[in-house]
Amino acid sequence: MEERTYTKGLLEALLFLSSDPIKLSALAKSAGIEKTEARELLDELILDYQEKEGGFLLREIAGGYQFITNQRYSEILAHIFKDKKRETLSRGTLDTLAIIAYKQPITLTELDEIRGVSSRAMVASLMSKKLVKAVGQKEVPGRPTLYGTTNEFLLHFGLSKLSDLPTPVEVKELKFEEFSPESIIVTDETEMNPDFDTSTLPEELQEEA
């Protein structure tokens, strides 16, 4: 078998067996090739699956590569696998997530100023679902916690990097309803992940968590 064809197949097999995105460097190392060659082969694989229009596609997501189901079959698959776990976010929490995604790193006070209401419960809920995390502290009096999105956020929204987000017109008008993937259910109530240890939340989120 031609070496290039073999290596391309090996990359395909590695990706098929992984349930998480695999970084380019890890794929190249596993296949024993340079990153430039790995990227070329992966680009070919992406095109191969795109032209085939089959049940799944190869995409660059969350800083790595991963097979995903073809969007054209999403409706029937969602019906068949309706018991699959999906995250539940209130509309206010979804709006909070949008602001964090576009304005990160951002403090709770800055979030409250943009939204005009308290965002404590929303940020606590997002942290419990691993969509948001503390990324440091702002160098101002009191050193408030700075918040940003996680790799889990990129996975849920099918993004390779934050720059893939749609360009906002105005941050106060940011809404994720139309952009929300099937892994997110939009409700009118804020819910915490019941398995999350609330004691790990930043102190400023403790009272309303």
Side-chain angles (χ1 to χ4, degrees):
M1 183 186 295
E2 183 186 356
E3 185 176 348
R4 183 179 175 83
T5 302
Y6 174 83
T7 306
K8 184 176 175 180
L10 175 58
L11 290 172
E12 184 178 24
L14 287 167
L15 289 162
F16 180 77
L17 291 171
S18 177
S19 58
D20 299 308
I22 307 179
K23 292 184 180 298
L24 175 65
S25 56
L27 286 166
K29 183 178 180 180
S30 296
I33 57 177
E34 295 296 323
K35 287 199 292 185
T36 50
E37 183 181 357
R39 186 178 288 281
E40 285 179 12
L41 293 173
L42 289 164
D43 286 344
E44 286 182 18
L45 280 170
I46 288 173
L47 189 58
D48 289 347
Y49 280 95
Q50 187 174 310
E51 291 178 343
K52 183 181 178 182
E53 294 188 344
F56 51 99
L57 303 168
L58 179 60
R59 287 284 183 268
E60 192 173 355
I61 295 175
Y65 292 83
Q66 183 178 34
F67 279 115
I68 61 171
T69 53
N70 194 326
Q71 189 68 23
R72 69 191 298 185
Y73 306 114
S74 60
E75 189 174 337
I76 189 167
L77 288 174
H79 177 70
I80 294 171
F81 296 98
K82 56 187 175 184
D83 292 331
K84 180 182 176 183
K85 181 186 175 184
R86 294 193 285 173
E87 294 294 354
T88 302
L89 298 181
S90 70
R91 297 180 189 282
T93 304
L94 202 57
D95 292 345
T96 301
L97 179 58
I99 294 170
I100 293 173
Y102 283 97
K103 302 290 285 183
Q104 62 185 302
I106 186 171
T107 66
L108 184 62
T109 299
E110 290 166 342
L111 265 170
D112 292 347
E113 288 175 356
I114 292 173
R115 297 188 64 240
V117 293
S118 173
S119 303
R120 279 190 175 87
M122 284 69 179
V123 176
S125 174
L126 289 167
M127 290 190 73
S128 79
K129 297 172 191 299
K130 299 183 179 179
L131 296 173
V132 162
K133 64 181 179 180
V135 296
Q137 293 176 302
K138 192 165 185 176
E139 294 302 324
V140 296
R143 303 192 69 212
T145 301
L146 288 165
Y147 299 95
T149 53
T150 63
N151 243 28
E152 198 75 17
F153 165 80
L154 295 176
L155 286 171
H156 272 296
F157 287 87
L159 302 170
S160 173
K161 49 191 179 301
L162 288 172
S163 58
D164 291 337
L165 283 166
T167 304
V169 176
E170 166 60 48
V171 72
K172 288 185 179 180
E173 297 173 0
L174 289 176
K175 303 290 179 184
F176 266 15
E177 277 87 343
E178 295 180 5
F179 190 54
S180 179
E182 293 188 8
S183 58
I184 301 289
I185 302 172
V186 183
T187 70
D188 293 320
E189 297 180 3
T190 300
E191 294 183 11
M192 293 283 289
N193 179 345
D195 299 322
F196 181 72
D197 180 3
T198 57
S199 67
T200 62
L201 288 170
E203 190 176 341
E204 62 185 8
L205 301 179
Q206 294 282 342
E207 18 180 307
E208 294 187 24

